[in-house]
Amino acid sequence: MVLRLHFTAEDLVRVRVWVLGPLAETQWSLRILRQQTPNVSLFAGWRTRVLRQAPPTAASLAGFLAPHNGGATDLFTLAGRVDTLDAGLEQLRSLPATRLHAEFAAIPGIARRMPPWLGPAVTGDHRAREDFLGALQQCHDAFIGPVWPRLRLHLEAECMASARKTIEGGVDKLLSELHPLLVWNPPVLELPTYKPWTHQTTDIHLDGRGLILAPSLFCPTEPQIFTPTQDDAAPILMYRASQDAAGISSILAPPDAGPSAALTALLGRTRATALAELAVTANTTMLAQRLGVTTAAASQHLSVLRSAGLVASRRDGNKVWHTLTPLGLSLLQRHTPTL
């Protein structure tokens, strides 16, 4: 079957590229842990290592959220775009039981694979909901938590690459080069290999809602479309971020003690650590806490890194947020092999 996403002119100007956050990657990592396919070879070392420390609930949670035969429950459309797992869990905690039930009920055969301990969470049982959130937390901590800074850096770089394509050739270039399995026939984006796990709709009209493009390390080879239950919310098209065996090995390698000797020699230990920490956007106070220095000292280091073109800063209210520039990303990737 062919999935077709129909764009209007308004949709084309509302295309966004987002990193959905650690909740989405945690859910997709469960699918990789369950897979027995050749693609698993890309993740073999990480998979072997983390399965040794899998929490007791991981198997049943994976069977529910990320089954082999498709029909994944998209918690990320319920939680939205979140920078931290805590924020994602809080969003799920505050959801009305009716919304959670509606999401689960939309998946064919969901009752057969829902673990008994999770069932009451859907009907509003507070303790069961907390058990569910606790299981998600444990899986995150065991599977992607230690490597999330590197993983986020990789996904942010993917978003920046998409931004450059858009600047160079507009949304037309972005959509035409987004993924090998996607075909851009303006104004329709087609996925010829579509497998309708949850519904038989093959024509989705965006109708001015726009589209969110979300790269993912663990997403299946075929791009996945998710439509939020709110009628005015933009659908999410998840696709596998560009990857190679060496790159994945670097991203998923066990964390080391800090930045490489080469980066430390170039910048000094504190500034090298600051550059590594800014793989995840932070404000000045947050960075100072991560570095164990005063806010004034962090500001001074940031000023040097900004002058060198490695860090960009923007003010939002009374806080200034800092992130790596493309040059900073390139330097970090070049001199820190495991980051």
Side-chain angles (χ1 to χ4, degrees), residues 250-264:
S250 175
I251 293 165
L252 298 179
D256 62 7
S260 70
L263 194 62
T264 298

PDB file of all heavy atoms in Angstrom, residues 250-264:
ATOM      1  N   SER A 250      29.913   4.587  18.096  1.00  0.00           N
ATOM      2  CA  SER A 250      30.397   5.733  18.866  1.00  0.00           C
ATOM      3  C   SER A 250      29.308   6.296  19.764  1.00  0.00           C
ATOM      4  O   SER A 250      29.542   6.616  20.930  1.00  0.00           O
ATOM      5  CB  SER A 250      30.905   6.814  17.908  1.00  0.00           C
ATOM      6  OG  SER A 250      31.286   7.974  18.600  1.00  0.00           O
ATOM      7  N   ILE A 251      28.096   6.409  19.221  1.00  0.00           N
ATOM      8  CA  ILE A 251      26.990   6.981  19.994  1.00  0.00           C
ATOM      9  C   ILE A 251      26.629   6.101  21.183  1.00  0.00           C
ATOM     10  O   ILE A 251      26.388   6.586  22.293  1.00  0.00           O
ATOM     11  CB  ILE A 251      25.758   7.165  19.092  1.00  0.00           C
ATOM     12  CG1 ILE A 251      26.022   8.237  18.035  1.00  0.00           C
ATOM     13  CG2 ILE A 251      24.526   7.544  19.916  1.00  0.00           C
ATOM     14  CD1 ILE A 251      25.015   8.218  16.908  1.00  0.00           C
ATOM     15  N   LEU A 252      26.597   4.784  20.970  1.00  0.00           N
ATOM     16  CA  LEU A 252      26.106   3.868  21.983  1.00  0.00           C
ATOM     17  C   LEU A 252      27.203   3.250  22.847  1.00  0.00           C
ATOM     18  O   LEU A 252      26.921   2.407  23.698  1.00  0.00           O
ATOM     19  CB  LEU A 252      25.289   2.751  21.321  1.00  0.00           C
ATOM     20  CG  LEU A 252      24.041   3.210  20.561  1.00  0.00           C
ATOM     21  CD1 LEU A 252      23.332   2.016  19.940  1.00  0.00           C
ATOM     22  CD2 LEU A 252      23.096   3.982  21.472  1.00  0.00           C
ATOM     23  N   ALA A 253      28.444   3.678  22.656  1.00  0.00           N
ATOM     24  CA  ALA A 253      29.537   3.159  23.480  1.00  0.00           C
ATOM     25  C   ALA A 253      29.339   3.573  24.932  1.00  0.00           C
ATOM     26  O   ALA A 253      28.725   4.604  25.220  1.00  0.00           O
ATOM     27  CB  ALA A 253      30.873   3.687  22.963  1.00  0.00           C
ATOM     28  N   PRO A 254      29.839   2.790  25.887  1.00  0.00           N
ATOM     29  CA  PRO A 254      29.736   3.189  27.301  1.00  0.00           C
ATOM     30  C   PRO A 254      30.365   4.563  27.504  1.00  0.00           C
ATOM     31  O   PRO A 254      31.413   4.858  26.921  1.00  0.00           O
ATOM     32  CB  PRO A 254      30.536   2.101  28.036  1.00  0.00           C
ATOM     33  CG  PRO A 254      30.519   0.936  27.111  1.00  0.00           C
ATOM     34  CD  PRO A 254      30.530   1.500  25.725  1.00  0.00           C
ATOM     35  N   PRO A 255      29.740   5.430  28.287  1.00  0.00           N
ATOM     36  CA  PRO A 255      30.280   6.766  28.496  1.00  0.00           C
ATOM     37  C   PRO A 255      31.672   6.712  29.113  1.00  0.00           C
ATOM     38  O   PRO A 255      31.969   5.853  29.942  1.00  0.00           O
ATOM     39  CB  PRO A 255      29.276   7.406  29.468  1.00  0.00           C
ATOM     40  CG  PRO A 255      28.047   6.585  29.350  1.00  0.00           C
ATOM     41  CD  PRO A 255      28.490   5.192  29.029  1.00  0.00           C
ATOM     42  N   ASP A 256      32.527   7.637  28.676  1.00  0.00           N
ATOM     43  CA  ASP A 256      33.845   7.718  29.311  1.00  0.00           C
ATOM     44  C   ASP A 256      33.813   8.773  30.403  1.00  0.00           C
ATOM     45  O   ASP A 256      32.771   9.345  30.719  1.00  0.00           O
ATOM     46  CB  ASP A 256      34.944   8.013  28.278  1.00  0.00           C
ATOM     47  CG  ASP A 256      34.738   9.351  27.579  1.00  0.00           C
ATOM     48  OD1 ASP A 256      33.836  10.118  27.981  1.00  0.00           O
ATOM     49  OD2 ASP A 256      35.474   9.614  26.620  1.00  0.00           O
ATOM     50  N   ALA A 257      34.953   9.050  30.985  1.00  0.00           N
ATOM     51  CA  ALA A 257      35.002   9.925  32.157  1.00  0.00           C
ATOM     52  C   ALA A 257      34.925  11.397  31.822  1.00  0.00           C
ATOM     53  O   ALA A 257      34.763  12.228  32.699  1.00  0.00           O
ATOM     54  CB  ALA A 257      36.284   9.648  32.937  1.00  0.00           C
ATOM     55  N   GLY A 258      35.080  11.770  30.556  1.00  0.00           N
ATOM     56  CA  GLY A 258      35.031  13.177  30.215  1.00  0.00           C
ATOM     57  C   GLY A 258      35.519  13.397  28.800  1.00  0.00           C
ATOM     58  O   GLY A 258      35.668  12.462  28.023  1.00  0.00           O
ATOM     59  N   PRO A 259      35.788  14.650  28.422  1.00  0.00           N
ATOM     60  CA  PRO A 259      36.237  14.946  27.069  1.00  0.00           C
ATOM     61  C   PRO A 259      37.607  14.334  26.795  1.00  0.00           C
ATOM     62  O   PRO A 259      38.370  14.035  27.713  1.00  0.00           O
ATOM     63  CB  PRO A 259      36.288  16.473  27.042  1.00  0.00           C
ATOM     64  CG  PRO A 259      36.403  16.882  28.470  1.00  0.00           C
ATOM     65  CD  PRO A 259      35.670  15.851  29.254  1.00  0.00           C
ATOM     66  N   SER A 260      37.919  14.164  25.523  1.00  0.00           N
ATOM     67  CA  SER A 260      39.169  13.526  25.138  1.00  0.00           C
ATOM     68  C   SER A 260      40.369  14.386  25.501  1.00  0.00           C
ATOM     69  O   SER A 260      40.263  15.597  25.708  1.00  0.00           O
ATOM     70  CB  SER A 260      39.173  13.260  23.633  1.00  0.00           C
ATOM     71  OG  SER A 260      39.271  14.501  22.934  1.00  0.00           O
ATOM     72  N   ALA A 261      41.542  13.733  25.536  1.00  0.00           N
ATOM     73  CA  ALA A 261      42.785  14.450  25.835  1.00  0.00           C
ATOM     74  C   ALA A 261      43.054  15.522  24.785  1.00  0.00           C
ATOM     75  O   ALA A 261      43.539  16.613  25.103  1.00  0.00           O
ATOM     76  CB  ALA A 261      43.941  13.460  25.919  1.00  0.00           C
ATOM     77  N   ALA A 262      42.728  15.211  23.506  1.00  0.00           N
ATOM     78  CA  ALA A 262      42.984  16.178  22.437  1.00  0.00           C
ATOM     79  C   ALA A 262      42.139  17.433  22.616  1.00  0.00           C
ATOM     80  O   ALA A 262      42.634  18.561  22.462  1.00  0.00           O
ATOM     81  CB  ALA A 262      42.692  15.528  21.086  1.00  0.00           C
ATOM     82  N   LEU A 263      40.853  17.257  22.949  1.00  0.00           N
ATOM     83  CA  LEU A 263      39.982  18.418  23.135  1.00  0.00           C
ATOM     84  C   LEU A 263      40.394  19.200  24.371  1.00  0.00           C
ATOM     85  O   LEU A 263      40.366  20.433  24.379  1.00  0.00           O
ATOM     86  CB  LEU A 263      38.528  17.949  23.255  1.00  0.00           C
ATOM     87  CG  LEU A 263      37.451  19.026  23.121  1.00  0.00           C
ATOM     88  CD1 LEU A 263      37.517  19.672  21.748  1.00  0.00           C
ATOM     89  CD2 LEU A 263      36.073  18.436  23.358  1.00  0.00           C
ATOM     90  N   THR A 264      40.802  18.487  25.420  1.00  0.00           N
ATOM     91  CA  THR A 264      41.255  19.155  26.637  1.00  0.00           C
ATOM     92  C   THR A 264      42.516  19.965  26.375  1.00  0.00           C
ATOM     93  O   THR A 264      42.652  21.111  26.855  1.00  0.00           O
ATOM     94  CB  THR A 264      41.516  18.119  27.745  1.00  0.00           C
ATOM     95  OG1 THR A 264      40.286  17.444  28.033  1.00  0.00           O
ATOM     96  CG2 THR A 264      42.023  18.784  29.011  1.00  0.00           C
TER      97      THR A 264
END
